[in-house]
């Protein structure tokens, strides 16, 4: 053996100089570095200044004995691992036992056999180094386990011995594991929902050696819960019997939580915690497959909250969010399986609610008994949502509309059903608040047509395809033209002249109404300017405002700017607003109306009588004109209640000092009857249909021919006819306040009936 193979530093502690010399010589001879000490104390001092790799220690020494030195050494952290070989003259069992008891590694008897000594030293050193190596590995393994939060264990079926690492005990919740602890005992701490599966995995491993990885939840000693992932391997002996099972158990709580969070974000709506569109589509796909197999029906509900945007706009998003959460809660509550079945009305096997967009929810009902059951659920949802809710100190009442598409009648794919439920929901919109509607293919065709209109309308304004028609408004008592209503038309390249009812609703839904209204305002102003420049005596023009435009913040500013741009007096413009628009939110409407009045334009309530204005509200609206809806005029001669309403409106107008205009006058008898009731201002095909500007300009220039048989009151008309060019024209609005303002040429047709007396009541 070469010197280098035996590097090691040995300390010999013995009071016998001869023995020291002999031993040192033999050890140096095989390459060890050797130091000597003559007694126990100086030996300990020596160790403190330089740690030997091995100690040769005499038992009997003056001062302290070898046993005491060994014991002292084992107390120190430094000396605990040093291998100690005791040199003893006594080879009786008692002293050997004392040697081991004091912590010696080995012993050798005197006189020393130098060959034997070197072997013993070498062997002890090798064993000690291996021990150190093992300890180092054990420590780094424990470290790795701690970092990975992974414990390891071994179980031997024959001896029922279960050994586990420190980390295993930590990972599994620090439950006490006494010497009798068995592998199966872990089941006591497994989450009850997972215990059955874990027991099955353990049994499979023990009985057939089939080791499957398993993840389960564990209840820790401190009451918390953890998720662990366990893998195992089965070892067999020569006979094929299972000798041991080794396993690792890893704490995957954080990973599971992170995965859950990712899943939440990907599949669920953050605000309401309902499924999002992605997950909903998946659930539907799965559900539809099942329904196809079982040959049963299903339904998709598209649930839309009415005018939700207004809550956000007026009360802020915080309140809006609270309201949406509450809606989500009510939707979920409404269809809880037990609840639905409990009432024994409908029992869809499964109902999955989802949030599809801001104020848009959806519900999938599978295994419906009858398609009608979807309506029962819809009605219940509408009722639940309509209950007042308190959000951020505000009491809100929301209404919902629901569209229903039924599988398989209305489609057999997720997309088709969702699309059809949505168009059904749009259909429900026409039925009013809190309505639900089934999808029909007719409805689908309609929505397709609307979509087409929307796409084409987008470019219509830029392509200059819109035009205004003007319908005369007359004073039937004098036969004078006193104003005109500007009515938009779409000069479509292939469809021809498209009436507003065919595209205004689409424009409203798509947001195209804003540029459309802007165009109408400017076009009316431009036209007035053009007529004024042509030195025509213009009449006021009234424009129609849609609900959406009326709510728009910048509307009055825009109108004022347009009037200035075209140098038009504000009194030449009137805005028509429908009754229903004003009744939606009375306070806001009052503010809006005042804004519009403040720029100097006139205000008319269009289609009056169709809504449900109360007198109290009407008094708050700063209006100039009431327009009796065509519906009452139509049957005024035959329907006594229509006649009564018309009469009441006329009286109301007079009381409130508002001008009353009767719309949709088609027959001279209607006009005479309304004249007899005291309504002199009229509009309708009887006098003139809406006409393009180049035709209307003739009315301005030449006046309008009055229909045959109209009972015109002499006093006004005669003056009017006589004064011809200079006859004072009084606008409807100013008449109401009896303040003449404008000059207008009036031309009465030769065949107009001029009555000297009060017109006779036209008989129905
Ligand atoms: P509206 O404001 O009530 O307008 C009166 C409608 O009745 C006009 O239909 C007119 O042509 C029609 N009409 C007038 N006299 C008679 C009659 O004697 N008999 C019959 N059967 N009908 C008569 P139009 O032009 O199709 O407009 C329909 C609706 O479209 C309007 O109702 C108005 O609400 C809306 N509208 C028209 N132009 C615009 C616009 O520029 N902007 C907005 N937002 N809405 C508009
Ligand atoms: Mg109108
Ligand atoms: Mg009208």
């Amino acid at each position: 053996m070469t010197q280098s193979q035996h590097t090691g530093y040995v300390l010999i502690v013995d009071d016998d100089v001869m023995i020291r010399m002999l031993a040192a010589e033999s050890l140096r001879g095989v390459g060890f570095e050797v130091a000597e000490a003559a007694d126990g104390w100086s030996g300990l001092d020596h160790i403190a200044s330089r740690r030997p790799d091995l100690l040769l220690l005499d038992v009997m020494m003056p001062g302290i004995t070898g046993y005491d030195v060994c014991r002292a050494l084992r107390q120190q952290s430094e000396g605990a691992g040093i291998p100690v070989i005791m040199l003893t003259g006594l080879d009786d069992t008692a002293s050997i036992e004392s040697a081991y008891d004091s912590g010696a590694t080995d012993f050798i008897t005197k006189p020393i056999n130098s060959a034997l000594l070197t072997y013993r030293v070498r062997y002890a050193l090798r064993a000690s180094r291996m021990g150190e190596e093992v300890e180092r590995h054990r420590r780094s393994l424990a470290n790795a386990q701690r970092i990975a939060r992974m414990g390891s264990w071994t179980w031997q079926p024959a001896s029922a011995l279960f050994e586990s690492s420190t980390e295993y005990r930590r990972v599994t919740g620090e439950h006490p594991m006494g010497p009798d602890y068995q592998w199966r005992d872990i089941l006591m701490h497994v989450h009850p929902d997972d215990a059955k599966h874990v027991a099955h995995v353990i049994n499979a491993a023990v009985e057939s050696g089939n080791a499957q990885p398993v993840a389960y939840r564990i209840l820790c000693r401190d009451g918390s819960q953890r998720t662990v992932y366990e893998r195992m391997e089965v070892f067999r002996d020569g006979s094929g019997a299972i000798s041991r099972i080794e396993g690792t158990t890893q704490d995957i709580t954080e990973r599971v939580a992170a995965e859950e969070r990712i899943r939440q974000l990907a599949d669920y709506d953050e605000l309401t915690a309902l499924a999002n569109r992605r997950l909903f589509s998946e659930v539907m796909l799965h559900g539809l497959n099942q329904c196809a197999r079982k040959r049963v029906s299903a339904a998709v509900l598209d649930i839309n909250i009415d005018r939700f945007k207004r809550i956000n706009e007026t009360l802020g998003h915080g309140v809006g969010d609270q309201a949406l959460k509450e809606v989500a809660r009510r939707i979920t509550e409404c269809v809880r399986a037990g609840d639905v079945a409990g009432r024994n009305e409908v029992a869809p096997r499964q109902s999955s609610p989802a949030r599809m967009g801001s104020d848009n929810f959806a519900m999938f009902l599978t295994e419906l008994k009858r398609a009608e059951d979807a309506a029962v659920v819809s009605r219940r949802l509408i009722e639940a949502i309509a209950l007042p809710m308190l959000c951020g100190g505000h009491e809100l009442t929301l209404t919902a509309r629901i569209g229903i598409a039924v599988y398989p009648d209305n489609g057999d794919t997720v997309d088709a059903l969702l699309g059809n439920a949505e168009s059904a929901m749009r259909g429900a919109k026409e039925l009013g608040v809190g309505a639900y509607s089934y999808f029909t293919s007719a409805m689908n065709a309609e929505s397709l047509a609307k979509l087409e209109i929307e796409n084409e309308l987008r470019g219509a304004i830029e392509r200059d395809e819109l035009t205004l028609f003007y319908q005369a408004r007359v004073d039937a008592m004098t036969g004078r033209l006193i104003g005109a209503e500007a009515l938009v038309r779409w000069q479509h390249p292939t469809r021809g002249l498209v009436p507003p009812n065919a595209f205004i609703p689409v424009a409203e839904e798509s947001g195209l109404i804003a540029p459309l209204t802007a165009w109408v305002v400017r076009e009316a102003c431009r036209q007035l300017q053009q007529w004024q420049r042509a030195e025509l005596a213009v009449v006021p023009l009234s424009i129609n405002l849609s609900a959406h435009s009326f709510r728009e913040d910048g509307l009055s500013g825009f109108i004022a700017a347009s009037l200035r741009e075209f140098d038009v007096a504000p009194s030449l413009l009137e805005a028509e607003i429908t009754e229903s628009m004003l009744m939606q939110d009375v306070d806001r409407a009052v503010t809006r109306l005042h804004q519009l009045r403040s720029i100097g334009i006139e205000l008319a309530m269009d289609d009056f009588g169709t809504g449900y204005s109360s007198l109290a509200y009407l008094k708050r609206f700063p209006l100039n004109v009431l327009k009796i809806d065509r519906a009452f005029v139509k049957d005024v001669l035959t329907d006594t209640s229509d006649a009564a309403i018309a009469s009441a409106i006329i009286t109301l107008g007079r009381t409130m000092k508002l001008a009353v205009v009767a719309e949709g006058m088609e027959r001279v008898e209607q006009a005479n009857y309304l004249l007899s009731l005291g309504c002199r201002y009229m509009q309708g095909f009887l006098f003139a249909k809406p006409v393009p500007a180049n035709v209307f300009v003739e009315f301005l220039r030449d006046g309008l021919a009055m229909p045959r048989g109209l009972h015109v009151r002499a006093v006004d008309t005669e003056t009017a006819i006589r004064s011809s060019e200079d006859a004072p024209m009084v606008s409807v609005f100013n008449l109401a306040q009896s303040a003449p303002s404008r000059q207008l040429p009036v031309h009465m047709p030769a065949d107009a009936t001029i009555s000297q007396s009060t017109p006779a009541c036209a008989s129905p």
Side-chain angles (χ1 to χ4, degrees):
M1 248 172 233
T2 61
Q3 216 167 326
S4 62
Q5 279 171 304
H6 294 293
T7 44
Y9 173 49
V10 180
L11 174 67
I12 305 168
V13 184
D14 200 319
D15 56 331
D16 186 332
V17 67
M18 284 307 290
I19 290 187
R20 287 206 313 266
M21 268 173 60
L22 191 67
E25 201 169 304
S26 338
L27 291 171
R28 283 194 186 105
V30 291
F32 286 102
E33 187 187 349
V34 181
E36 295 171 33
D39 59 64
W41 290 122
S42 50
L44 284 171
D45 285 347
H46 205 104
I47 293 166
S49 63
R50 186 180 170 193
R51 183 187 187 278
D53 296 318
L54 185 135
L55 191 63
L56 276 182
L57 184 61
D58 184 24
V59 175
M60 290 307 174
M61 289 183 291
I64 54 170
T65 65
Y67 300 135
D68 294 334
V69 173
C70 192
R71 259 192 290 273
L73 200 62
R74 293 295 183 235
Q75 301 291 311
Q76 305 168 3
S77 60
E78 265 295 287
I82 301 174
V84 176
I85 299 175
M86 290 276 191
L87 302 172
T88 169
L90 323 155
D91 58 356
D92 56 300
T93 23
S95 15
I96 291 167
E97 228 175 84
S98 305
Y100 284 125
D101 280 351
S102 65
T105 315
D106 200 358
F107 70 94
I108 190 164
T109 43
K110 296 179 188 176
I112 290 173
N113 173 331
S114 66
L116 196 65
L117 175 73
T118 55
Y119 278 115
R120 283 270 168 93
V121 167
R122 263 190 237 146
Y123 175 77
L125 264 177
R126 200 167 63 216
S128 142
R129 279 175 185 155
M130 273 167 63
E132 276 169 17
E133 187 90 332
V134 168
E135 177 58 18
R136 213 174 30 253
H137 277 130
R138 197 196 59 75
R139 256 195 244 122
S140 82
L141 180 66
N143 250 344
Q145 289 198 353
R146 189 176 49 74
I147 293 165
R149 291 176 186 247
M150 184 194 278
S152 56
W153 50 266
T154 308
W155 181 70
Q156 298 174 8
S159 57
L161 183 68
F162 182 79
E163 287 174 313
S164 60
S165 69
T166 315
E167 197 55 26
Y168 175 83
R169 288 184 288 278
R170 237 198 313 267
V171 164
T172 53
E174 306 278 10
H175 292 290
M177 291 180 186
D180 301 332
Y181 190 88
Q182 284 302 298
W183 186 25
R184 277 175 206 281
D185 293 345
I186 194 69
L187 285 171
M188 291 190 297
H189 313 301
V190 173
H191 191 286
D193 292 351
D194 300 343
K196 208 172 142 197
H197 180 58
V198 178
H200 173 79
V201 170
I202 292 179
N203 288 342
V206 175
E207 281 155 25
S208 60
N210 172 19
Q212 289 296 325
V214 58
Y216 55 91
R217 284 162 297 169
I218 213 155
L219 305 170
C220 303
R221 202 176 177 188
D222 64 7
S224 64
Q225 184 180 302
R226 244 174 241 176
T227 308
V228 298
Y229 181 69
E230 199 157 76
R231 284 170 173 281
M232 54 206 99
E233 203 174 331
V234 176
F235 296 87
R236 294 175 189 275
D237 60 18
S239 70
I242 293 173
S243 57
R244 69 181 201 282
I245 299 175
E246 285 188 7
T248 58
T249 307
Q250 189 170 18
D251 182 352
I252 55 166
T253 312
E254 277 171 24
R255 203 180 78 201
V256 169
E259 281 169 1
E260 177 59 20
R261 176 96 185 109
I262 291 168
R263 215 166 57 82
Q264 276 283 340
L265 288 175
D267 290 346
Y268 292 89
D269 168 47
E270 269 219 90
L271 180 70
T272 62
L274 291 184
N276 62 16
R277 184 179 282 273
R278 206 195 71 77
L279 180 61
F280 186 68
S281 304
E282 248 174 48
V283 169
M284 265 187 78
L285 185 68
H286 180 72
L288 289 177
N289 286 337
Q290 274 187 337
C291 289
R293 266 203 311 278
K294 297 184 183 171
R295 295 176 179 278
V296 289
S297 38
V300 189
L301 314 186
D302 186 306
I303 307 161
N304 204 275
I305 309 299
D306 291 317
R307 288 177 283 126
F308 187 77
K309 230 176 98 191
R310 271 183 44 219
I311 294 185
N312 278 338
E313 282 167 4
T314 54
L315 303 175
H317 286 264
V319 174
D321 284 356
Q322 277 186 39
L324 286 173
K325 275 193 195 171
E326 180 57 18
V327 168
R329 197 190 62 76
R330 292 181 185 187
I331 290 177
T332 315
E333 195 106 300
C334 245
V335 292
R336 270 209 315 243
D339 185 31
V340 173
R343 294 200 209 171
N344 211 12
E345 285 172 327
V346 205
R349 266 290 303 280
Q350 205 191 357
S351 50
S352 342
R355 182 172 177 223
M356 307 294 270
S358 61
D359 56 355
N360 187 212
F361 296 84
M363 169 94 59
F364 181 55
L365 305 171
T366 61
E367 300 191 28
L368 281 186
K369 285 207 185 78
R370 307 162 304 158
E372 300 90 272
D373 292 344
V376 179
V377 175
S378 298
R379 206 177 311 134
R380 193 173 320 139
L381 285 167
I382 288 170
E383 278 168 16
I385 293 169
L387 294 174
M389 57 176 77
L390 203 64
C391 297
H394 301 271
E395 192 183 278
L396 305 178
T397 308
L398 301 182
T399 52
R401 291 172 224 243
I402 299 182
I404 306 167
V406 177
Y407 166 87
D409 301 3
N410 301 150
D412 56 5
T413 65
V414 170
D415 286 347
L417 286 165
L418 280 174
N420 291 344
E422 192 186 329
S423 26
M425 186 275 290
R426 295 199 187 285
K429 264 190 182 173
E430 272 136 42
L431 301 177
V433 292
Y436 61 86
S437 166
Y438 279 93
F439 171 81
T440 61
S441 49
M443 199 186 296
N444 196 23
E446 191 180 308
S447 69
L448 274 177
K450 276 189 181 171
L451 199 68
E452 213 175 296
I453 289 177
E454 183 186 323
N455 288 334
E456 292 175 353
L457 189 60
R458 252 170 232 288
I461 301 174
E462 289 93 77
R463 288 194 301 268
D464 220 19
E465 289 172 5
L466 296 184
T467 179
L468 286 184
F469 272 40
Y470 301 90
Q471 188 178 31
R473 189 185 282 180
V474 301
D475 178 350
M477 205 140 87
T478 62
R480 281 174 297 180
L481 175 70
I482 51 160
E485 178 170 5
L487 295 157
V488 74
R489 299 286 181 269
W490 180 6
Q491 188 64 61
H492 192 279
T494 56
R495 295 173 205 258
L497 205 59
V498 185
N501 290 340
F503 63 91
I504 296 274
V506 180
E508 282 246 325
E509 274 170 33
S510 60
L512 287 169
I513 193 69
L516 189 143
T517 300
W519 181 85
V520 170
V521 169
R522 290 192 75 248
E523 177 59 14
C525 293
R526 191 200 59 77
Q527 189 59 76
L528 281 165
Q529 183 189 47
Q530 197 194 333
W531 285 332
Q532 275 178 327
R533 283 185 176 165
E535 308 225 313
L536 290 161
V538 295
V539 290
L541 290 185
S542 61
I543 55 165
N544 291 280
L545 290 182
S546 74
H548 192 279
S549 303
F550 180 63
R551 283 197 298 267
E552 201 98 334
D553 273 334
L555 178 72
S556 50
F558 181 80
I559 295 177
S562 304
L563 288 165
R564 274 198 304 276
E565 181 186 347
F566 294 100
D567 199 18
V568 170
S571 58
L572 280 178
L573 203 67
E574 180 188 83
E576 295 190 4
I577 297 127
T578 63
E579 190 180 5
S580 55
M581 279 155 64
L582 297 181
M583 297 314 295
Q584 274 168 18
D585 180 345
V586 173
D587 290 339
R588 267 167 77 98
V590 169
T591 315
R592 277 278 180 275
L593 291 175
H594 278 291
Q595 281 171 350
L596 288 169
R597 279 304 299 271
S598 72
I599 61 172
I601 67 169
E602 311 273 334
L603 299 176
M605 188 185 271
D606 205 354
D607 305 343
F608 190 62
T610 53
Y612 22 71
S613 322
S614 75
L615 200 58
Y617 285 138
L618 209 55
K619 272 166 65 184
R620 295 181 59 197
F621 299 141
L623 297 167
N624 308 87
V625 177
L626 292 183
K627 293 185 81 179
I628 305 178
D629 193 65
R630 198 165 74 219
F632 302 110
V633 173
K634 189 167 158 274
D635 295 326
V636 80
L637 300 174
T638 49
D639 188 322
T640 47
S641 72
D642 280 1
I645 292 173
S647 170
I649 296 174
I650 293 161
T651 312
L652 186 71
R654 195 176 302 136
T655 321
M656 297 183 68
K657 296 202 167 28
L658 298 174
V660 177
V661 178
E663 280 195 280
M665 206 63 67
E666 292 184 354
R667 294 170 51 199
V668 74
E669 293 82 0
Q670 295 166 332
N672 282 332
Y673 181 65
L674 280 150
L675 269 174
S676 77
L677 292 179
C679 174
R680 58 192 293 184
Y681 310 118
M682 299 179 187
Q683 189 182 330
F685 293 174
L686 176 67
F687 303 98
K689 289 198 167 180
V691 292
N694 62 337
V695 177
F696 191 75
V697 81
E698 288 169 23
F699 301 163
L700 286 179
R701 204 180 298 126
D702 307 332
L704 194 59
M706 285 298 111
R708 214 186 280 267
L710 187 70
H711 299 294
V712 180
R713 215 185 254 166
V715 57
D716 294 303
T717 26
E718 268 178 354
T719 329
I721 293 164
R722 255 185 278 114
S723 47
S724 180
E725 302 282 301
D726 302 324
M729 159 59 195
V730 183
S731 88
V732 162
F733 339 106
N734 295 329
L735 262 179
Q737 293 141 20
S738 39
S741 71
R742 221 177 308 279
Q743 304 273 307
L744 181 80
V746 173
H747 168 80
M748 283 306 288
D751 56 0
T753 311
I754 305 196
S755 158
Q756 299 289 328
S757 60
T758 314
C761 209
S763 52

